[in-house]
Amino acid sequence: MPVTDTLSPPTATASVTDALHRRRSVRAFTDRPVDPAQLRDIFAAAQRAPSGGNLQPWQATVLTGAPWQAVQDAVATRIAMGREGYEPEYDIYPKGLTDPWESRRYGVGEALYASLGIPREDKPARLDQFRHNYRGFGAPVMLFLHCSRIMGPPQWSDMGMWLQSVMLLLVEHGLASCPQECWAMYGATVRRTLGLGDDQILFSGLAIGYADEGAAVNRWPVPRVELEDVIDWQGFGE
């Protein structure tokens, strides 16, 4: 059977395997504040993430309160402009995406809307849910991950390893998160609001907080494909 995500209680975890099973992209947070000292401990531990040549290319800006609200307000203004408001940093999905990847993307989107009870024909409700992305799903903390524009694909993979490390450590501390590449659609606005120079490129946001465990959007199963679909075993015998 495919592996699925289920939301677990916000208790400390004792193993990497446990953290991997508990972690999921949470799309409804409570307004409970997050202890900055706890976040500092998490980010300090995440510095052990590997990077080619030990470049450690990741840079992050972590916001709460008024600065976080300022980003939300700035991006809301761009969203109201429609497609003219887009300022993409990069293509989040490849152009001409084909199966099996397109089916996976379509399937998870439809499952998300189904968990919220939003049918395909209810365009206003779907648009509101789209906008909810840019409120961080109510998370009290938002991390924006960025790097120097001179960095290439290998360093972007390093940033991904750092981000995964942070997400697993958040689970260990009883916190939840949602990685959000969608912010790159309005990357220039985010960078301007954060005071980042044009030498930086925005990679992703990460909503951080305590999960609303009763929210249906946090409880629907997110399937993973079978190992046979992604692993080719060679030299191991029959």
Side-chain angles (χ1 to χ4, degrees), residues 5 12 19 21 31-32 38 47 52-53 59-60 67 72 96-98 105 114 122 140 151 159 170 206 210 231 238:
D5 291 336
H21 282 286
D31 60 1
R32 177 181 171 185
Q38 192 175 30
Q47 285 300 105
Q59 295 177 265
Q72 295 178 60
L97 191 64
T98 58
R105 179 187 174 196
D122 192 346
M151 300 299 174
M159 284 197 292
L170 287 166
L206 183 71
Y210 291 92
I231 303 295
E238 296 298 327

Side-chain angles (χ1 to χ4, degrees), residues 169-237:
L169 288 162
L170 287 166
V171 172
E172 182 183 58
H173 284 256
L175 288 157
S177 66
C178 184
Q180 294 187 279
E181 291 176 328
C182 64
W183 290 97
M185 293 174 62
Y186 302 96
T189 294
V190 173
R191 286 188 285 102
R192 284 194 299 269
T193 309
L194 296 181
L196 300 177
D198 289 337
D199 62 315
Q200 293 286 300
I201 185 167
L202 180 69
F203 172 38
S204 178
L206 183 71
I208 298 172
Y210 291 92
D212 180 350
E213 297 174 46
V217 74
N218 287 337
R219 305 199 69 86
W220 55 282
V222 182
R224 297 296 191 265
V225 299
E226 301 286 357
L227 282 184
E228 290 73 14
D229 293 323
V230 294
I231 303 295
D232 177 21
W233 300 94
Q234 298 188 11
F236 289 90

Side-chain angles (χ1 to χ4, degrees), residues 37 97 110 120 136 144 150 160 196 208:
L97 191 64
E110 289 304 306
R120 175 185 293 275
F144 286 108
I150 69 173
L196 300 177
I208 298 172

Side-chain angles (χ1 to χ4, degrees), residues 118-194:
I118 302 175
R120 175 185 293 275
E121 60 272 14
D122 192 346
K123 302 300 184 184
R126 290 199 169 202
L127 179 58
D128 186 63
Q129 179 60 28
F130 167 78
R131 289 172 176 157
H132 201 34
N133 280 280
Y134 298 97
R135 297 188 285 269
F137 305 113
V141 174
M142 176 59 67
L143 178 153
F144 286 108
L145 182 58
H146 48 94
C147 71
S148 169
R149 288 188 182 274
I150 69 173
M151 300 299 174
Q155 288 75 49
W156 281 55
S157 72
D158 293 341
M159 284 197 292
M161 287 189 283
W162 182 84
L163 193 63
Q164 173 78 329
S165 299
V166 169
M167 289 189 286
L168 295 180
L169 288 162
L170 287 166
V171 172
E172 182 183 58
H173 284 256
L175 288 157
S177 66
C178 184
Q180 294 187 279
E181 291 176 328
C182 64
W183 290 97
M185 293 174 62
Y186 302 96
T189 294
V190 173
R191 286 188 285 102
R192 284 194 299 269
T193 309
L194 296 181

